[in-house]
């Protein structure tokens, strides 16, 4: 596994190309070859949109002198889905994440329900998923013995045993917190954005993006079986790598990076989060002449014109799509 403290800068050294193939495009955005056929099928009514699963992802931040750096994972280039794409720790909601017995600190569930646009049970499940997945994939735990404290080093063998049990779903997050005498620190999170997989995709996710500062005394590591490297990189550097075609990213990833680039510190990013628009971003597809036009409302840079008869794969790796905005495949 790659060391979570890797300090090579993603914009210069961490190539996102799968199998060494050149991107063949001006940036690091891709669409999969099956999209045109699926878009036509949806328009014809021969396929029915899949109900998206709830998911959460966290942009962990730490100050790096020139601004905040964000913790990113690169999915293994050998993976069939999103191989070589950079993303953040995250994944799907566990049905047990809405356990009402969970230890909780910070804004109330009602406050989070209003912020996230869901009911109170759904709000708890989404916030829990964000905290749980960050611990499972990055080894960072946003919880503490009290509502005013955070755990320190979580790298011991006993912590690892509990983390593995969470990953294997042998242990619910509520059970984990209870046995450790911890409460979830929801006040350490800031809701940043919400993206939903396009209706024509076969795997769909309704994903909430959060920001959080790396707690003092904790350190990230690559605890994900789906990632082959992790990096701390400034949003501006990561965005530059994407613009040059050196880093593969999904539209939600690069869009959130561009928003983070305007923040001078991790604290500033957290402070600005409550003012962020949480209107869901859902891609649209329409036929214009002999082209399929893909667009993401409010994000014109991702608009693509795809020949409506084009079913061939692009000239490079094609899996880095917004099918799963977290960059993984939530269970």
């Amino acid at each position: 596994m790659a060391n979570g403290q890797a300090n090579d800068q993603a914009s210069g050294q961490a190539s996102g190309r799968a199998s060494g193939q050149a991107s063949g495009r001006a940036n690091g955005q891709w669409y999969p070859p099956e999209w045109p056929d699926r878009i036509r099928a949806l328009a014809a009514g021969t396929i029915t949109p899949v109900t998206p699963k709830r998911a959460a992802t966290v942009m962990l931040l730490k100050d790096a002198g020139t601004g905040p750096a964000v913790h990113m994972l690169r999915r293994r280039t050998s993976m069939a889905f999103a191989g070589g794409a950079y993303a953040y720790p995250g994944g799907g909601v566990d049905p047990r994440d809405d356990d009402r017995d969970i230890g909780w600190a910070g804004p109330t569930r009602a406050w989070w329900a209003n912020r996230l646009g869901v009911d109170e049970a759904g709000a708890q499940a989404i916030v829990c998923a964000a905290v749980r997945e960050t611990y499972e994939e990055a080894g960072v735990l946003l919880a503490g013995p009290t509502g005013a404290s955070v755990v320190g080093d979580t790298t011991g063998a006993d912590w690892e045993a509990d983390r593995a049990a969470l990953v294997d779903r042998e242990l619910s997050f509520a059970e984990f917190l209870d046995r450790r005498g911890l409460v979830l620190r929801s006040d350490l999170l800031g809701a940043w954005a919400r993206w939903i997989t396009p209706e024509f995709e076969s795997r769909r996710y309704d994903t909430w993006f959060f920001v959080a500062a790396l707690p003092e005394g904790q350190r990230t590591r690559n605890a994900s079986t789906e990632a082959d490297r992790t990096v701390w990189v400034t949003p501006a550097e990561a965005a530059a790598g994407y613009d040059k075609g050196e880093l593969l990213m999904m539209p939600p990833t690069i869009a959130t990076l561009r928003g983070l680039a305007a923040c001078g510190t991790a604290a500033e990013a957290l402070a600005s989060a409550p003012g962020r628009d949480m209107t869901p971003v859902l891609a649209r597809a329409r036929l214009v002449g002999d082209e399929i036009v893909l667009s993401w409302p409010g994000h014109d840079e991702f608009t693509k014109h795809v020949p409506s008869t084009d079913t061939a794969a692009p000239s490079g790796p094609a899996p880095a799509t917004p099918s799963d905005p977290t960059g993984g495949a939530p269970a």
Side-chain angles (χ1 to χ4, degrees):
M1 286 189 179
N3 187 336
Q5 298 302 305
N7 58 10
D8 52 306
Q9 296 303 310
S11 62
Q13 301 175 20
S15 172
R17 301 185 184 98
S19 304
Q21 293 175 300
S23 69
R25 291 178 181 266
N27 58 32
Q29 182 192 355
W30 291 91
Y31 67 89
E34 67 271 15
W35 269 15
D37 284 343
R38 291 196 60 84
I39 291 169
R40 285 193 294 270
L42 180 65
T46 57
I47 62 172
T48 302
V50 176
T51 300
K53 297 180 179 180
R54 296 173 301 171
T57 188
V58 176
M59 299 176 282
L60 277 174
L61 305 173
K62 70 176 183 179
D63 291 328
T66 58
V70 61
H71 178 68
M72 302 192 76
L73 317 175
R74 186 182 70 176
R75 286 176 58 79
R76 294 183 182 279
T77 55
S78 60
M79 297 188 72
F81 173 76
Y86 280 82
Y88 315 113
V93 168
D94 182 327
R96 298 171 295 177
D97 284 336
D98 63 0
D99 189 333
R100 297 298 298 185
D101 293 329
I102 194 168
W104 187 275
T108 65
R109 293 169 178 81
W111 185 93
W112 278 107
N114 182 65
R115 180 70 180 126
L116 302 179
V118 296
D119 60 22
E120 290 189 30
Q124 175 175 297
I126 293 161
V127 171
C128 282
V131 175
R132 176 181 50 74
E133 287 285 342
T134 301
Y135 181 54
E136 290 181 9
E137 296 200 342
V140 171
L141 182 59
L142 303 176
T146 70
S149 61
V150 186
V151 296
D153 187 7
T154 61
T155 59
D158 59 332
W159 285 101
E160 177 58 24
D162 279 351
R163 192 197 66 79
L166 285 169
V167 172
D168 294 336
R169 299 297 182 261
E170 297 172 356
L171 186 68
S172 74
F173 196 57
E175 292 168 335
F176 165 73
L177 292 177
D178 183 62
R179 69 194 287 178
R180 289 276 178 180
L182 301 173
V183 295
L184 181 152
R185 290 287 306 277
S186 76
D187 56 315
L188 300 181
L189 288 169
W192 192 264
R194 180 181 178 184
W195 287 66
I196 303 176
T197 306
E199 291 183 338
F200 49 82
E201 268 286 17
S202 58
R203 293 191 300 178
R204 302 187 65 210
Y205 299 96
D206 187 350
T207 302
W208 284 261
F209 286 72
F210 296 86
V211 289
L214 178 68
E216 185 176 352
Q218 294 193 41
R219 61 182 186 271
T220 57
R221 58 195 176 91
N222 185 3
S224 172
T225 59
E226 297 179 345
D228 63 6
R229 98 183 306 164
T230 63
V231 295
W232 281 101
V233 59
T234 67
E237 289 171 327
Y242 168 89
D243 290 336
K244 296 174 184 176
E246 295 173 351
L247 302 182
L248 292 180
M249 294 182 200
M250 304 171 191
T253 307
I254 182 60
T256 49
L257 280 172
R258 296 206 194 283
L260 284 174
C263 300
T265 64
E268 184 179 324
L270 283 165
S272 68
R276 300 282 303 183
D277 183 6
M278 294 298 291
T279 302
V281 179
L282 175 64
R284 297 171 180 171
R286 66 185 190 277
L287 284 171
V288 179
D290 60 353
E291 287 185 325
I292 294 171
V293 179
L294 297 175
S295 62
W296 283 257
H299 300 273
D300 293 342
E301 73 165 295
F302 304 129
T303 298
K304 287 197 173 297
H305 297 260
V306 184
S308 63
T309 57
D310 180 15
T311 57
S315 59
T321 80
S323 297
D324 172 13
T326 68

